[in-house]
Amino acid sequence: MTRKLIVGNWKMNGSLAANHDLLHAINAGLTSSSCQAAVCVPAPYFAQVQHLCASSSLLWGAQDVSASDSGAFTGEVSAAMLRDFGVRYALVGHSERRQYHGETDEVVALKAQRALSAGITPIVCVGETLAQREAGQTAEVVKRQLAAVIHTNGHCISEIVVAYEPVWAIGTGKTATPEQAQEVHAMLRHQLSAASAHADKIAILYGGSMNASNAASLLSQQDIDGGLVGGASLKAADFLSIVAAASQ
Ligand code: PEP
């Protein structure tokens, strides 16, 4: 990977007024073309974000997509609906979805499939909990999570983005060290190369308390192709600092 990708995950934050100010500030500060930036936003704001990003290099995406095509699935948003708004990326399998909504590896794999078939790039999130890391299960857990997605989407696996997000680092202020993250990223790359001749082109992002101070050292690792950024994506200056670090 040459061009890094920095994706903000706004989670359930924002308002029409706050989004307007944030996107104006980000768009005004995005100068570099050596890094691709994107934001994943709450579904009610798709039309607003589509409008505000229409002539910007900032790409944008959704935070989830339904595993079903259409029909009696109250509250769900389908891949076709995302496509109607020109959504470019969809997070799938974020640890908060796995934890609070019981999403299994199989459901996450189906969500990735729905996104891909609508021409949307799924950002497939994998990561271990603290208990799993302490029990020495990190490799087993992340490989199992990714294997389900490869199994269902093998033919177009080179079209996905992967995000390694250790659950213990999300929103906690505890970041994996660059070496800890690189070790897992190298493992994921190896797993992807068994499934695709183009594994070197698949972006593997790191997520978990990435901020302006730690971004450069994480992003300097060989297999870290960018970042998935939660808290720090809600302040334009912080997000732009990470984008700048990724543009070095
Ligand atoms: C996330 O929500 O994907 C994330 C990485 O959050 P934070 O940066 O706040 O840890």
PDB file of all heavy atoms in Angstrom, residues 66 68-77:
ATOM      1  N   SER A  66     -27.302  -3.807   6.551  1.00  0.00           N
ATOM      2  CA  SER A  66     -28.083  -5.011   6.872  1.00  0.00           C
ATOM      3  C   SER A  66     -27.501  -6.237   6.177  1.00  0.00           C
ATOM      4  O   SER A  66     -26.958  -6.146   5.077  1.00  0.00           O
ATOM      5  CB  SER A  66     -29.533  -4.821   6.427  1.00  0.00           C
ATOM      6  OG  SER A  66     -30.257  -6.010   6.686  1.00  0.00           O
ATOM      7  N   SER A  68     -29.491  -8.450   5.222  1.00  0.00           N
ATOM      8  CA  SER A  68     -30.594  -8.868   4.350  1.00  0.00           C
ATOM      9  C   SER A  68     -30.770  -7.853   3.226  1.00  0.00           C
ATOM     10  O   SER A  68     -30.361  -6.696   3.342  1.00  0.00           O
ATOM     11  CB  SER A  68     -31.892  -8.954   5.158  1.00  0.00           C
ATOM     12  OG  SER A  68     -31.712  -9.825   6.253  1.00  0.00           O
ATOM     13  N   ASP A  69     -31.428  -8.308   2.164  1.00  0.00           N
ATOM     14  CA  ASP A  69     -31.605  -7.457   0.979  1.00  0.00           C
ATOM     15  C   ASP A  69     -32.700  -6.417   1.150  1.00  0.00           C
ATOM     16  O   ASP A  69     -32.524  -5.245   0.836  1.00  0.00           O
ATOM     17  CB  ASP A  69     -31.990  -8.336  -0.215  1.00  0.00           C
ATOM     18  CG  ASP A  69     -30.771  -8.667  -1.044  1.00  0.00           C
ATOM     19  OD1 ASP A  69     -29.769  -7.937  -0.923  1.00  0.00           O
ATOM     20  OD2 ASP A  69     -30.821  -9.645  -1.802  1.00  0.00           O
ATOM     21  N   SER A  70     -33.884  -6.881   1.601  1.00  0.00           N
ATOM     22  CA  SER A  70     -35.025  -5.984   1.768  1.00  0.00           C
ATOM     23  C   SER A  70     -36.109  -6.751   2.517  1.00  0.00           C
ATOM     24  O   SER A  70     -35.986  -7.955   2.717  1.00  0.00           O
ATOM     25  CB  SER A  70     -35.579  -5.533   0.407  1.00  0.00           C
ATOM     26  OG  SER A  70     -36.104  -6.653  -0.272  1.00  0.00           O
ATOM     27  N   GLY A  71     -37.159  -6.040   2.928  1.00  0.00           N
ATOM     28  CA  GLY A  71     -38.302  -6.743   3.520  1.00  0.00           C
ATOM     29  C   GLY A  71     -38.531  -6.420   4.973  1.00  0.00           C
ATOM     30  O   GLY A  71     -38.235  -5.308   5.437  1.00  0.00           O
ATOM     31  N   ALA A  72     -39.091  -7.381   5.691  1.00  0.00           N
ATOM     32  CA  ALA A  72     -39.568  -7.164   7.057  1.00  0.00           C
ATOM     33  C   ALA A  72     -38.419  -7.223   8.066  1.00  0.00           C
ATOM     34  O   ALA A  72     -38.271  -8.195   8.817  1.00  0.00           O
ATOM     35  CB  ALA A  72     -40.641  -8.203   7.384  1.00  0.00           C
ATOM     36  N   PHE A  73     -37.584  -6.201   8.048  1.00  0.00           N
ATOM     37  CA  PHE A  73     -36.447  -6.115   8.962  1.00  0.00           C
ATOM     38  C   PHE A  73     -36.441  -4.709   9.568  1.00  0.00           C
ATOM     39  O   PHE A  73     -35.622  -3.855   9.212  1.00  0.00           O
ATOM     40  CB  PHE A  73     -35.138  -6.408   8.227  1.00  0.00           C
ATOM     41  CG  PHE A  73     -35.112  -7.781   7.609  1.00  0.00           C
ATOM     42  CD1 PHE A  73     -35.373  -7.953   6.254  1.00  0.00           C
ATOM     43  CD2 PHE A  73     -34.871  -8.903   8.386  1.00  0.00           C
ATOM     44  CE1 PHE A  73     -35.378  -9.221   5.689  1.00  0.00           C
ATOM     45  CE2 PHE A  73     -34.875 -10.181   7.831  1.00  0.00           C
ATOM     46  CZ  PHE A  73     -35.135 -10.343   6.481  1.00  0.00           C
ATOM     47  N   THR A  74     -37.395  -4.469  10.456  1.00  0.00           N
ATOM     48  CA  THR A  74     -37.615  -3.127  10.994  1.00  0.00           C
ATOM     49  C   THR A  74     -36.338  -2.521  11.555  1.00  0.00           C
ATOM     50  O   THR A  74     -35.647  -3.164  12.344  1.00  0.00           O
ATOM     51  CB  THR A  74     -38.699  -3.198  12.087  1.00  0.00           C
ATOM     52  OG1 THR A  74     -39.870  -3.747  11.514  1.00  0.00           O
ATOM     53  CG2 THR A  74     -39.002  -1.822  12.663  1.00  0.00           C
ATOM     54  N   GLY A  75     -36.067  -1.315  11.123  1.00  0.00           N
ATOM     55  CA  GLY A  75     -34.915  -0.584  11.642  1.00  0.00           C
ATOM     56  C   GLY A  75     -33.638  -0.813  10.858  1.00  0.00           C
ATOM     57  O   GLY A  75     -32.659  -0.097  11.050  1.00  0.00           O
ATOM     58  N   GLU A  76     -33.631  -1.810   9.968  1.00  0.00           N
ATOM     59  CA  GLU A  76     -32.417  -2.115   9.221  1.00  0.00           C
ATOM     60  C   GLU A  76     -32.263  -1.186   8.010  1.00  0.00           C
ATOM     61  O   GLU A  76     -33.254  -0.669   7.482  1.00  0.00           O
ATOM     62  CB  GLU A  76     -32.469  -3.556   8.703  1.00  0.00           C
ATOM     63  CG  GLU A  76     -32.410  -4.610   9.777  1.00  0.00           C
ATOM     64  CD  GLU A  76     -30.982  -4.840  10.248  1.00  0.00           C
ATOM     65  OE1 GLU A  76     -30.236  -5.562   9.575  1.00  0.00           O
ATOM     66  OE2 GLU A  76     -30.619  -4.274  11.284  1.00  0.00           O
ATOM     67  N   VAL A  77     -31.042  -1.020   7.558  1.00  0.00           N
ATOM     68  CA  VAL A  77     -30.757  -0.214   6.363  1.00  0.00           C
ATOM     69  C   VAL A  77     -29.992  -1.105   5.376  1.00  0.00           C
ATOM     70  O   VAL A  77     -28.935  -1.647   5.714  1.00  0.00           O
ATOM     71  CB  VAL A  77     -29.933   1.038   6.733  1.00  0.00           C
ATOM     72  CG1 VAL A  77     -29.608   1.856   5.489  1.00  0.00           C
ATOM     73  CG2 VAL A  77     -30.690   1.906   7.746  1.00  0.00           C
TER      74      VAL A  77
END
